């Protein structure tokens, strides 16, 4: 069944390609954007092409959007009495207005983040067979390994992206053997970086408690044992950036995501009806809130839609680390944030169920909305 699907997918890509161009090393996955680009195509296969309406809303990866910029926050200010108040206010406003911010002086050596990114980037330069030796289970969107975005029957346009996904926590699903073994330093470096991201997100969650008027430790405790996973997004250069997306618009379902991007650009965040580029800043990390925080904060903090556009000039690699609630907990508005004038905006639901519905629908738009409690 799976083989049939892969065979059909490969046949379709070949039909879509211009005549006279053969795609080398298509491999058992059927296709991958790195080899599609390297094969020298001038047009992307039809299955990657977005609708004309969607294309109208595209903006290039390198424009600055009129006066709008994702906040950049110096977390060093949290340790400096004279700057602490202003730093907290900047975080609060970013969480309320944007759901996204970039951070500098975040307590992780920038060289560690840079090195982890470099090793992840090198994985994608391995021969296709070596990457596919670590292919993930094509039936399971949360299995570790190399592959592509999962498609659903209602959400079947391909993204211009190859990926590697794996867990770091809990240990029961870490499966370190399934992580890249080349480059040789990958596993050890990723573990070291993951431990730092865990500490960083602990700190941020404590700050969120303070901003929301919750007792310190509330968010961490309410989300239970952390699930931490990473997604390496490889966006090949693309011959037709105006017709495809690198990653379709979505909000993240988890608690908080920490992203290392390179200097290529392409990540865009929705602000009202406008898409705003997250301009790369050397050494900065991009932080965004997931649906679970929007729910826990009863809507005071936002999880915002974002997407990635491609470009003709350079491949881009982003390394997104996702901190999730445990699949054993229920997520719901913090009781302290619900009262007569702030009724619960979301029901309390099991995170396992929420995440499963996210994957059933496929990465697509703001998943949380249908869950909001509607009132007459
Ligand atoms: C993600 C994501 C953004 C990027 O992986 O969920 O939003 O820049 N990635 O690749
Ligand atoms: Ni995302």
């Amino acid at each position: 069944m799976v083989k049939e699907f892969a065979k059909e997918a490969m046949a379709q890509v070949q039909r879509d390609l211009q005549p006279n161009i053969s795609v080398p090393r298509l491999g058992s996955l059927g296709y991958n954007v790195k080899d599609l680009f390297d094969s020298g195509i001038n047009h992307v296969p039809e299955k990657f092409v977005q609708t004309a309406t969607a294309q109208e809303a595209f903006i290039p990866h390198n424009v600055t959007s009129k006066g709008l910029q994702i906040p950049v926050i110096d977390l060093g200010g949290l340790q400096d009495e004279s700057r602490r108040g202003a730093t907290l206010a900047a975080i609060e406003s970013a969480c309320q207005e944007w759901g996204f911010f970039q951070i500098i002086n975040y307590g992780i050596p920038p060289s560690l983040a840079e090195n982890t990114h470099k090793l992840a980037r090198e994985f994608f330069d391995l021969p296709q067979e070596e990457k596919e030796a670590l292919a993930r289970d094509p039936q399971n969107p949360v299995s570790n390994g190399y592959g592509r975005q999962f498609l659903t029957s209602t959400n079947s346009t391909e993204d211009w992206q190859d990926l590697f996904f794996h867990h770091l926590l809990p240990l029961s699903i870490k499966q370190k053997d399934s992580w890249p073994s080349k480059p040789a330093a990958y596993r050890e470096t990723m573990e070291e970086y993951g431990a730092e991201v865990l500490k960083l997100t602990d700190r941020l969650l404590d700050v969120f408690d303070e901003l929301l008027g919750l007792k310190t430790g509330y968010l961490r405790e309410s989300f239970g044992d952390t699930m931490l996973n990473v997604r390496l997004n490889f966006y090949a250069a693309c011959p037709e950036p105006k017709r495809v997306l690198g990653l379709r618009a979505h909000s993240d379902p988890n608690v908080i995501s920490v992203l290392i991007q390179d200097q290529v650009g392409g990540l865009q965040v929705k602000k009202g009806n406008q898409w705003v580029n997250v301009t790369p800043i050397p050494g900065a990390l991009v932080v965004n809130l997931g649906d679970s925080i929007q729910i826990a904060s009863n809507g005071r903090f936002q999880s915002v839609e974002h997407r990635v556009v491609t470009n003709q000039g350079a491949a881009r690699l982003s390394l997104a680390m996702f901190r999730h609630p445990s699949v054993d907990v229920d997520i719901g508005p913090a009781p302290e944030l619900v009262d007569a004038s702030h009724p619960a905006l979301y029901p309390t639901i099991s995170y396992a169920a929420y995440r499963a519905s996210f994957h059933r629908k496929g990465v697509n738009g703001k998943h949380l909305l249908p869950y909001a409690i509607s009132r007459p």
Side-chain angles (χ1 to χ4, degrees):
M1 179 65 203
V2 174
K3 271 217 185 96
E4 293 277 286
F5 171 78
K7 249 184 18 219
E8 172 48 28
M10 175 149 80
Q12 183 60 43
V13 168
Q14 277 167 338
R15 283 196 291 275
D16 290 343
L17 288 168
Q18 301 156 288
N20 305 326
I21 289 181
S22 66
V23 179
R25 302 195 310 268
L26 280 171
S28 61
L29 275 187
Y31 46 89
N32 64 85
V33 296
K34 183 170 188 302
D35 285 344
L36 281 173
F37 180 77
D38 290 347
S39 70
I41 55 172
N42 293 319
H43 296 287
V44 299
E46 274 312 307
K47 62 197 299 139
F48 289 88
V49 176
Q50 297 280 332
T51 62
T53 323
Q55 289 176 33
E56 280 165 26
F58 288 6
I59 57 166
H61 69 293
N62 54 2
V63 298
T64 44
S65 315
K66 303 176 213 84
L68 287 174
Q69 216 214 327
I70 311 298
V72 180
I73 298 175
D74 177 355
L75 286 192
L78 290 173
Q79 266 110 8
D80 172 349
E81 259 332 295
S82 68
R83 290 191 292 148
R84 191 160 193 280
T87 307
L88 286 174
I91 297 174
E92 181 169 38
S93 139
C95 292
Q96 291 172 344
E97 307 296 326
W98 286 91
F100 260 83
F101 48 101
Q102 303 208 57
I103 51 174
I104 54 172
N105 294 321
Y106 37 81
I108 304 178
S111 58
L112 175 59
E114 207 174 289
N115 196 25
T116 313
H117 180 279
K118 176 175 142 286
L119 294 166
R121 177 73 181 77
E122 283 170 19
F123 170 80
F124 287 91
D125 289 333
L126 293 175
Q128 188 63 14
E129 308 79 72
E130 290 192 41
K131 286 179 282 192
E132 290 197 18
L134 295 172
R136 63 185 183 148
D137 176 354
Q139 312 265 1
N140 177 0
V142 293
S143 62
N144 284 7
Y146 172 76
R148 298 193 32 86
Q149 179 79 280
F150 279 80
L151 302 177
T152 66
S153 54
T154 53
N155 187 10
S156 59
T157 307
E158 294 275 0
D159 289 333
W160 194 259
Q161 178 209 71
D162 306 322
L163 63 88
F164 199 110
F165 174 86
H166 68 78
H167 291 88
L168 288 96
L169 285 173
L171 297 178
S172 56
I173 51 173
K174 180 174 173 184
Q175 296 174 316
K176 202 168 155 187
D177 286 353
S178 64
W179 298 14
S181 56
K182 282 189 199 167
Y186 177 91
R187 292 180 181 178
E188 195 187 329
T189 310
M190 180 57 76
E191 275 182 330
E192 197 184 333
Y193 175 68
E196 293 292 339
V197 168
L198 194 64
K199 282 193 274 179
L200 168 65
T201 54
D202 276 348
R203 276 177 76 205
L204 288 171
L205 289 178
D206 289 351
V207 168
F208 297 167
D209 284 337
E210 184 174 348
L211 293 171
L212 292 165
L214 301 169
K215 73 172 177 10
T216 307
Y218 173 85
L219 288 171
R220 284 202 258 159
E221 280 156 33
S222 72
F223 292 133
D225 291 340
T226 295
M227 173 162 61
L228 188 69
N229 47 45
V230 68
R231 180 168 156 149
L232 316 177
N233 299 300
F234 179 86
Y235 305 96
C238 180
E240 293 188 293
K242 291 188 175 142
R243 303 179 75 207
V244 308
L245 282 177
L247 179 56
R248 65 195 80 170
H250 66 284
S251 65
D252 295 350
N254 50 299
V255 177
I256 185 167
S257 310
V258 176
L259 182 102
I260 313 175
Q261 62 167 345
D262 51 31
Q263 298 309 297
V264 174
L267 172 59
Q268 304 185 333
V269 173
K270 202 169 188 184
K271 173 79 173 152
N273 284 325
Q274 207 174 332
W275 288 97
V276 178
N277 276 304
V278 181
T279 307
I281 299 175
L285 297 177
V286 181
V287 173
N288 68 285
L289 306 185
D291 297 344
S292 302
I293 278 280
Q294 179 165 336
I295 293 172
S297 70
N298 200 24
R300 287 177 178 57
F301 287 177
Q302 290 203 46
S303 148
V304 168
E305 261 184 89
H306 49 287
R307 70 181 183 192
V308 177
V309 297
T310 61
N311 74 90
Q312 276 181 305
R316 170 175 186 266
L317 182 95
S318 72
L319 188 162
M321 204 166 265
F322 305 103
R323 178 178 180 142
H324 297 255
S326 162
V327 286
D328 297 329
V329 300
D330 289 343
I331 53 172
E336 292 81 353
L337 302 179
V338 178
D339 57 33
S341 46
H342 303 93
L345 297 177
Y346 312 100
T348 295
I349 45 172
S350 100
Y351 186 61
Y354 185 71
R355 190 169 181 239
S357 78
F358 175 88
H359 287 296
R360 239 188 340 271
K361 182 161 162 255
V363 169
N364 188 8
K366 183 129 185 184
H367 187 64
L368 184 55
L369 289 180
Y371 279 86
I373 295 174
S374 60
R375 289 193 175 74

